[in-house]
């Protein structure tokens, strides 16, 4: 009853607003940047440009009081994190988990929402991203939303990699919002500091506004679902009715016949 009451109140509160475009509560948002590249060719390396822009876009979202940044933002880089997967986090006894693995697990577990950034390799997400996320079980990510950002040096902006990520993130339980961000020819969009590129100041303002509006759609959806999920988790522990697998993958199997 209490869970239904809180959910209904939240629905009424949001429905009474003229827009769902801004979160009213702070969220902890974790950005996962999947590329492991540090140098070319091809040049330039694009991952840092895109990641810095997305981090800045999230950090610029402010509360209504004194322009204070609203969200707590962290970035995990695949190239600086974990080796090729041998043992995932959940296979260790709690006292035996390697520190680096445990630190990343705590960052991911404490997040209310995720933004996952990937280039496109052979029509697929980059392997470094999948390797990093596969170190952790779905209970680390479950019952939280995610947003997808893809990029490429070509004209498609990594859209095929982005669509391939949707079932992967859904299986982990961090359901992706419908709006995605695709950055084609990323070397011509963002500079090495993650700023929008333009030939002069007047064009730069317009270009920044266009990109801000485009990314805002994904961020607004991420905030809406992130806030709703966070509020409901405070009332109902989702893992009570849908517990994490603790013994073997066979726990997800359908009941067998006699």
């Amino acid at each position: 009853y209490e869970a239904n009451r809180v959910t209904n109140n939240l629905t009424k509160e949001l429905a009474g607003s003229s827009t769902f475009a801004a979160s009213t509560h702070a969220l902890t948002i974790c950005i996962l940047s999947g590329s492991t590249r540090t140098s070319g060719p091809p040049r330039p390396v694009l991952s840092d440009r895109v990641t810095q822009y997305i981090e800045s876009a999230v950090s610029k979202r402010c509360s209504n009081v004194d322009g204070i940044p609203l969200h707590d933002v962290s970035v995990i880089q695949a190239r600086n994190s974990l080796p090729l997967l041998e043992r995932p986090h959940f296979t260790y006894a709690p006292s035996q988990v390697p520190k680096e693995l445990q630190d990343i697990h705590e960052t991911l577990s404490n997040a209310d929402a995720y933004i996952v950034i990937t280039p496109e390799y052979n029509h697929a997400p980059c392997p470094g991203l999948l390797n990093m996320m596969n170190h952790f079980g779905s209970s680390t990510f479950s019952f939280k939303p995610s947003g997808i950002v893809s990029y490429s040096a070509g004209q498609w902006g990594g859209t095929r990699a982005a669509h391939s990520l949707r079932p992967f993130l859904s299986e982990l339980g961090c359901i992706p919002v419908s709006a995605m961000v695709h950055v084609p020819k990323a070397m011509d969009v963002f500079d090495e500091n993650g700023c929008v590129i333009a030939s002069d100041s007047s064009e730069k303002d317009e270009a920044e506004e266009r990109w801000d509006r485009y990314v805002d759609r994904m961020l607004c959806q991420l905030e809406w679902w992130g806030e709703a999920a966070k509020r409901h988790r405070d009332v109902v522990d989702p893992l009570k009715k849908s517990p994490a697998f603790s013994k073997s993958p066979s726990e997800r199997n359908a009941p067998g016949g006699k």
Side-chain angles (χ1 to χ4, degrees):
Y1 170 78
E2 178 66 13
N4 289 336
R5 183 186 64 79
V6 172
T7 302
N8 290 337
N9 287 344
L10 175 59
T11 302
K12 291 176 182 177
E13 178 182 331
L14 294 172
S17 173
S18 60
T19 177
F20 297 147
S23 175
T24 58
H25 290 74
L27 299 174
T28 300
I29 298 177
C30 181
I31 299 172
L32 297 105
S33 182
S35 176
T36 56
R37 289 190 58 209
T38 58
S39 63
R43 296 184 178 91
V45 176
L46 301 175
S47 60
D48 288 345
R49 298 181 178 216
V50 177
T51 300
Q52 287 180 89
Y53 174 79
I54 295 298
E55 182 181 7
S56 175
V58 178
S59 299
K60 285 191 299 186
R61 301 175 82 77
C62 299
S63 67
N64 294 327
V65 181
D66 299 327
I68 299 172
L70 185 61
H71 304 308
D72 180 14
V73 185
S74 61
V75 178
I76 299 176
Q77 298 271 5
R79 65 168 173 261
N80 298 327
S81 56
L82 299 169
L84 189 65
L85 177 61
E86 291 186 12
R87 287 187 65 181
H89 176 272
F90 54 82
T91 65
Y92 289 91
S95 61
Q96 301 299 316
V97 181
K99 183 180 185 304
E100 184 178 31
L101 190 62
Q102 182 61 25
D103 288 346
I104 295 175
H105 178 260
E106 289 180 3
T107 299
L108 294 172
S109 296
N110 292 334
D112 299 308
Y114 308 96
I115 298 175
V116 183
I117 303 176
T118 185
E120 181 174 309
Y121 294 167
N122 300 317
H123 293 202
C126 60
L129 174 66
L130 304 182
N131 177 73
M132 176 174 63
M133 297 186 74
N134 279 329
H135 274 82
F136 307 97
S138 61
S139 60
T140 304
F141 303 94
S142 289
F143 304 100
K144 304 170 187 178
S146 61
I148 296 173
V149 178
S150 66
Y151 63 90
S152 70
Q155 63 181 327
W156 305 117
T159 55
R160 292 163 294 203
H163 282 279
S164 296
L165 266 181
R166 297 189 74 87
F168 174 75
L169 295 174
S170 296
E171 175 62 19
L172 287 177
C174 50
I175 307 300
V177 299
S178 64
M180 297 187 286
V181 173
H182 311 299
V183 187
K185 301 181 180 179
M187 64 285 189
D188 298 328
V189 177
F190 305 125
D191 65 17
E192 62 274 10
N193 298 311
C195 298
V196 175
I197 296 172
S199 57
D200 58 53
S201 58
S202 61
E203 288 188 6
K204 184 175 179 65
D205 290 343
E206 184 179 342
E208 287 178 345
E209 184 179 353
R210 287 198 306 269
W211 276 100
D212 286 349
R213 284 200 309 267
Y214 176 53
V215 174
D216 185 68
R217 179 174 173 81
M218 181 272 287
L219 292 180
C220 285
Q221 292 183 10
L222 191 74
E223 288 173 334
W224 196 98
W225 287 109
E227 184 175 333
K230 181 178 181 179
R231 288 193 186 191
H232 202 52
R233 283 198 309 275
D234 289 341
V235 179
V236 178
D237 179 1
L239 294 178
K240 283 188 175 180
K241 289 293 185 70
S242 180
F245 301 122
S246 58
K247 295 180 180 179
S248 74
S250 64
E251 291 180 89
R252 74 178 66 208
N253 292 353
K258 291 184 178 179

